[in-house]
Amino acid sequence: MTDALELDALWEDFHRVVNMTSVELADWLRVRDSGELTEPLPDDAGPPLGRHVLSILQKRRTDLTEEDLDAMREVVDTVTAQADLENEPRSNDTALRHRLMTVGHDPLKP
């Protein structure tokens, strides 16, 4: 298990890069997966990591599991590697924006 200082840093990093609320993320995951004729069940919308981020956003820090911590690290690494956090917003790469939004980071959100 992660010690308290590492957990605090991870919690802060995660909430720094995940700038969408749980409602915004849930809506995005449903929209992203909806088709012309069908829409997935709300609990099945989006990729597994996006759904995991959504579940983490609905938890307290004391309720996190090791799997949650692994997902949080993956999200922080993914967003940090793909997004230019210091120079956002950036609207010229829609595909990148949509990939990041799938894990809870909207580069155009202030």
Side-chain angles (χ1 to χ4, degrees):
M1 187 75 178
T2 306
D3 71 26
L5 288 176
E6 287 179 72
L7 178 60
D8 288 344
L10 179 58
W11 181 263
E12 292 298 320
D13 287 344
F14 178 79
H15 285 284
R16 178 180 51 83
V17 300
V18 176
N19 63 356
M20 296 170 69
T21 66
S22 58
V23 171
E24 291 170 330
L25 180 56
D27 289 347
W28 168 249
L29 294 176
R30 282 193 303 275
V31 166
R32 179 190 171 276
D33 274 5
S34 65
E36 215 172 286
L37 301 174
T38 62
E39 185 173 322
L41 295 172
D43 291 343
D44 295 334
L49 184 56
R51 291 192 311 267
H52 201 152
V53 169
L54 184 57
S55 75
I56 292 168
L57 289 174
Q58 298 167 341
K59 289 185 177 186
R60 296 176 301 173
R61 187 185 323 205
T62 57
D63 296 331
L64 296 173
T65 66
E66 274 301 318
E67 291 79 24
D68 294 336
L69 299 178
D70 291 340
M72 290 169 70
R73 287 182 192 100
E74 184 177 349
V75 168
V76 169
D77 291 345
T78 298
V79 172
T80 303
Q82 292 186 17
D84 186 359
L85 297 176
E86 292 180 16
N87 295 316
E88 286 182 345
R90 209 173 41 180
S91 61
N92 61 344
D93 191 345
T94 302
L96 174 62
R97 179 178 183 228
H98 289 178
R99 279 195 308 274
L100 292 172
M101 287 174 68
T102 300
V103 294
H105 179 78
D106 184 350
L108 299 182
K109 189 173 180 182

